[in-house]
Amino acid sequence: MLHIVDDEAVVRDSLTWLATSRGIASRAYESAPQLLAHTEAGQFDADGDCVLLDVRMPDMNGVAAFDQMSARGLTQRMPVIFLTGHGDVPMAVDALKRGAFDFFEKPFNDNQLMDRVQEAMTNSRQAGAMAAVHARLATLSAREREVLELILAGKMNKVVADQLGISMRTVEVHRAHIFDKMQVKTAVELAGLLK
């Protein structure tokens, strides 16, 4: 989902049209507080998210909104591309150093902007997939984590049992739980998921 935040209706409309022409779903906001209220729910799109954020707006400027998003840990899942008609090199450099995905000055090249939006959405999807893996890892017990590390090191069940001082049958049970919780069927799949 492309989140478009600009106080000018004509800009919101044109960006919405551009997104639609690329098959990208979008939602437009007149102000940064509207976007921040939407992000309170912490819901992310499975196809990835990206925020096009105008720098100069009444109520709250884009930089302040970006700072709040960063403080809440949202910028990995919702990469921000700044848009401005009043930018300069120091402003762009500062935004990028602070973690913005990109910085475009108005008027911008439509194709270049949409290409970067699609890249940001790809990054968002990847961050979402990693967050899901970390959430699954968090469900493992301490013993399952020990077994997991030894499985990833290529150890056979007998070796794992010997190293941990448990029975081979217990290792098999832990291994089955790990595969189930991590949603994989093989050790190779597990290794690929965690690389």
Side-chain angles (χ1 to χ4, degrees):
M1 173 76 62
L2 176 60
H3 303 271
I4 301 163
V5 188
D6 199 299
D7 59 326
E8 295 181 50
V10 68
V11 174
R12 290 191 309 272
D13 292 344
S14 66
L15 289 170
T16 298
W17 181 85
L18 270 175
T20 302
S21 73
R22 289 275 187 116
I24 301 170
S26 64
R27 178 176 283 139
Y29 309 86
E30 291 179 26
S31 68
Q34 287 178 341
L35 170 71
L36 293 172
H38 173 78
T39 62
E40 286 292 325
Q43 296 176 339
F44 301 104
D45 194 296
D47 290 330
D49 287 285
C50 176
V51 177
L52 289 179
L53 186 58
D54 189 20
V55 172
R56 286 193 180 179
M57 292 182 289
D59 298 330
M60 176 186 286
N61 70 38
V63 175
F66 176 75
D67 288 344
Q68 284 193 27
M69 290 178 68
S70 293
R72 291 174 28 208
L74 296 174
T75 56
Q76 287 294 321
R77 294 294 306 275
M78 297 181 88
V80 173
I81 297 175
F82 279 107
L83 300 175
T84 186
H86 309 283
D88 55 27
V89 173
M91 180 188 290
V93 169
D94 182 56
L96 294 172
K97 279 184 180 178
R98 294 163 73 166
F101 190 79
D102 211 333
F103 193 98
F104 279 79
E105 197 168 2
K106 297 174 188 175
F108 44 81
N109 178 296
D110 297 351
N111 287 326
Q112 288 176 344
L113 177 62
M114 286 298 116
D115 288 346
R116 286 301 281 164
V117 164
Q118 289 180 311
E119 289 172 28
M121 291 177 77
T122 297
N123 284 7
S124 173
R125 276 192 302 277
Q126 291 169 347
M130 286 308 299
V133 168
H134 289 293
R136 284 182 258 162
L137 276 172
T139 66
L140 299 179
S141 69
R143 180 60 87 179
E144 287 169 344
R145 286 177 196 251
E146 291 174 333
V147 172
L148 172 67
E149 287 179 26
L150 294 171
I151 291 170
L152 292 175
K155 307 290 185 190
M156 302 298 286
N157 287 353
K158 183 175 179 8
V159 175
V160 172
D162 288 343
Q163 285 189 348
L164 296 178
I166 57 178
S167 73
M168 204 159 94
R169 176 66 186 137
T170 302
V171 172
E172 291 168 358
V173 169
H174 284 312
R175 186 181 187 108
H177 287 165
I178 292 166
F179 284 14
D180 185 48
K181 289 178 180 180
M182 296 304 295
Q183 301 173 4
V184 297
K185 294 187 182 349
T186 66
V188 172
E189 248 185 289
L190 183 63
L193 185 65
L194 298 175
K195 69 177 177 179

